Amino acid sequence: MKHLIDPTDLTKQEIDEIISLAQDIIAHRERYQGSMSHKKLATLFYEPSTRTRLSFTSAMMELGGNVLGFSDARSSSVSKGESVQDTVRVVGCFADVIAMRHHIEGAQLYATEVSTVPIINAGDGSHSHPTQTLTDLLTIQRELGHIDGITIGFCGDLRFGRTVHSLIKALSRYKDIKVILIAPDELKLPDYIKQDVCERTGIPYREVATMEEVMGELDVLYMTRVQKERFLDEDEFDRVKDSFVLDAARMSLAKKKMAVLHPLPRVNEILTEVDADPRAAYFRQVENGKFVREALIVKLHEWKDDPEHGMPVQDEPVYDDTLRCVNPKCICNNEHAPHKFRRGEDDVLRCWYCDSKVR
Ligand code: NCD
């Protein structure tokens, strides 16, 4: 069965199919209005959300389906201590597809091990956010007319920003992508993305200290919020919270044809004076999120029992009783998920669920 936990669960061809279906839905909304009638989507949100949850809800409604679920885990049996796997087993009796957001990394992957219906990862801690990635790809396609060949600058919190991690993974499937990383030392991109994604797939990347020095090169500027809720140390957050701010003066250094993306919510990293600039694509991006989620729901339903569209074949996990995942926010350290690992570049062992390096 096809789940979407990580962007690499989709082949390039499957991503293309979803993006082109989303474009067809935009052009002919009426054709898809009853396509999910009598189907149910469960939204299980263990962490706050506005856009992602409401866009899933709106997407399913546009398709004529129904939505159930919770937006606050305290109102569910989770507050009685129910495990993620048990919750998913139960909800699978009521719904045809589940969209889940969780603050614990790897929670959705662990849930797929028992689920009888497709699970969509709507964000797991600071790890992944593949449906935001589909939204971002559709936005780049619509704003620029192509994804291949772009130079994209990621700015802000590249350490905890899960949307950044997932988008870089997905872009590694496209041709001639160049990545520029603009972040203070404390918020640099995790090594597993640099090594296992950029270096392994040959995406050139460089790290710079200011926006000014690269603005003129960018086709896409991907701004991010500093993820306050992921910091363990408040002083560290205060030091970096206003690191990079996009204003009209900085926009004047950019190409005429360029797109500013932001997964939103923004705090103060893009001044409102930028909103009227035609290159500011972030509110159009929100709407794209609904269309792409419609396309994803339709496709996952179509692919559900199709062996051609299963999950990618993985190497066997490595078990080693002397090793433990080092990430306190990983599912292995929060529920009874086994400590298992996969071999990355240079024989490094990484947690199966959250990608943290353990050896
Ligand atoms: C992002 C998220 O939740 O990771 N928002 C979203 O899903 N649109 C980004 C963020 O919270 O800053």
Side-chain angles (χ1 to χ4, degrees):
M1 184 167 34
K2 192 80 172 169
H3 305 279
L4 177 57
I5 305 302
D6 185 273
T8 55
D9 292 337
L10 297 170
T11 63
K12 171 72 169 40
Q13 197 189 334
E14 287 166 342
I15 292 179
D16 290 345
E17 278 184 47
I18 293 169
I19 304 278
S20 59
L21 178 57
Q23 288 178 296
D24 200 55
I25 291 173
I26 293 167
H28 308 285
R29 289 168 74 161
E30 66 299 338
R31 282 191 201 160
Y32 296 90
Q33 270 160 6
S35 52
M36 283 291 131
S37 64
H38 306 297
K39 298 286 173 217
K40 292 181 275 312
L41 164 75
T43 56
L44 309 185
F45 276 61
Y46 294 75
E47 191 186 62
S49 166
T50 307
R51 263 153 301 277
T52 306
R53 188 173 61 81
L54 294 183
S55 74
F56 267 114
T57 303
S58 172
M60 193 60 171
M61 286 173 165
E62 291 260 334
L63 297 169
N66 291 302
V67 184
L68 62 162
F70 54 79
S71 55
D72 181 351
R74 283 171 305 185
S75 65
S76 75
S77 284
V78 175
S79 62
K80 301 178 187 166
E82 187 169 58
S83 70
V84 169
Q85 286 199 338
D86 281 1
T87 301
V88 156
R89 269 190 241 249
V90 169
V91 175
C93 302
F94 308 138
D96 303 283
V97 54
I98 295 174
M100 186 197 289
R101 170 169 286 193
H102 211 298
H103 50 280
I104 298 297
E105 297 177 18
Q108 293 87 337
L109 179 57
Y110 184 48
T112 61
E113 294 172 8
V114 298
S115 186
T116 51
V117 299
I119 296 189
I120 303 172
N121 177 4
D124 65 321
S126 48
H127 187 225
S128 296
H129 194 347
T131 64
Q132 183 63 45
T133 297
L134 294 172
T135 305
D136 301 338
L137 293 173
L138 174 62
T139 305
I140 296 169
Q141 176 65 42
R142 294 189 76 198
E143 295 291 320
L144 302 178
H146 61 98
I147 301 173
D148 288 328
I150 60 165
T151 297
I152 178 167
F154 288 95
C155 181
D157 188 347
L158 313 187
R159 175 177 169 201
F160 296 119
R162 55 191 172 194
T163 65
V164 172
H165 308 161
S166 289
L167 182 53
I168 294 178
K169 276 190 176 180
L171 286 172
S172 70
R173 302 276 177 78
Y174 289 81
K175 289 197 203 94
D176 302 325
I177 302 293
K178 291 196 188 71
V179 167
I180 301 181
L181 306 168
I182 313 158
D185 281 347
E186 295 87 340
L187 299 179
K188 280 195 179 335
L189 192 71
D191 282 348
Y192 86 92
I193 302 283
K194 286 190 208 161
Q195 290 157 6
D196 283 10
V197 182
C198 297
E199 285 162 26
R200 206 185 59 199
T201 60
I203 300 188
Y205 69 92
R206 69 184 212 269
E207 300 187 285
V208 299
T210 66
M211 293 168 92
E212 284 80 352
E213 64 195 277
V214 293
M215 271 314 264
E217 288 177 52
L218 305 178
D219 302 302
V220 176
L221 172 60
Y222 195 97
M223 296 295 297
T224 58
R225 170 181 73 92
V226 178
Q227 308 273 303
K228 183 175 185 191
E229 67 278 24
R230 316 261 180 236
F231 279 76
L232 297 174
D233 174 355
E234 204 163 315
D235 292 342
E236 191 184 2
F237 170 73
D238 285 334
R239 266 199 312 280
V240 294
K241 67 178 195 280
D242 297 319
S243 295
F244 293 100
V245 175
L246 182 63
D247 57 11
R250 291 191 168 113
M251 283 300 283
S252 72
L253 305 172
K255 288 182 188 171
K256 292 255 172 314
K257 188 165 181 191
M258 174 262 201
V260 181
L261 271 62
H262 189 312
L264 301 181
R266 76 169 145 192
V267 185
N268 54 357
E269 58 281 355
I270 303 181
L271 298 191
T272 51
E273 67 186 22
V274 179
D275 295 357
D277 189 305
R279 296 166 291 184
Y282 30 92
F283 290 113
R284 295 190 287 278
Q285 187 181 356
V286 175
E287 204 183 11
N288 289 332
K290 182 188 69 176
F291 295 123
V292 96
R293 288 181 175 100
E294 283 184 52
L296 175 66
I297 292 167
V298 170
K299 284 288 170 192
L300 285 183
H301 182 64
E302 192 183 306
W303 294 337
K304 192 173 171 221
D305 301 311
D306 182 347
E308 293 277 299
H309 292 280
M311 293 297 274
V313 180
Q314 305 267 9
D315 291 341
E316 283 298 306
V318 175
Y319 291 91
D320 180 334
D321 285 344
T322 64
L323 293 176
R324 285 278 170 275
C325 175
V326 293
N327 175 6
K329 293 181 175 172
C330 176
I331 190 73
C332 320
N333 290 314
N334 288 275
E335 290 198 7
H336 295 293
H339 289 259
K340 56 181 177 179
F341 311 97
R342 63 178 177 79
R343 234 174 263 289
E345 283 293 277
D346 297 333
D347 236 17
V348 161
L349 282 189
R350 296 193 182 277
C351 172
W352 184 261
Y353 296 101
C354 76
D355 288 303
S356 293
K357 182 172 168 180
V358 291
R359 194 180 67 200

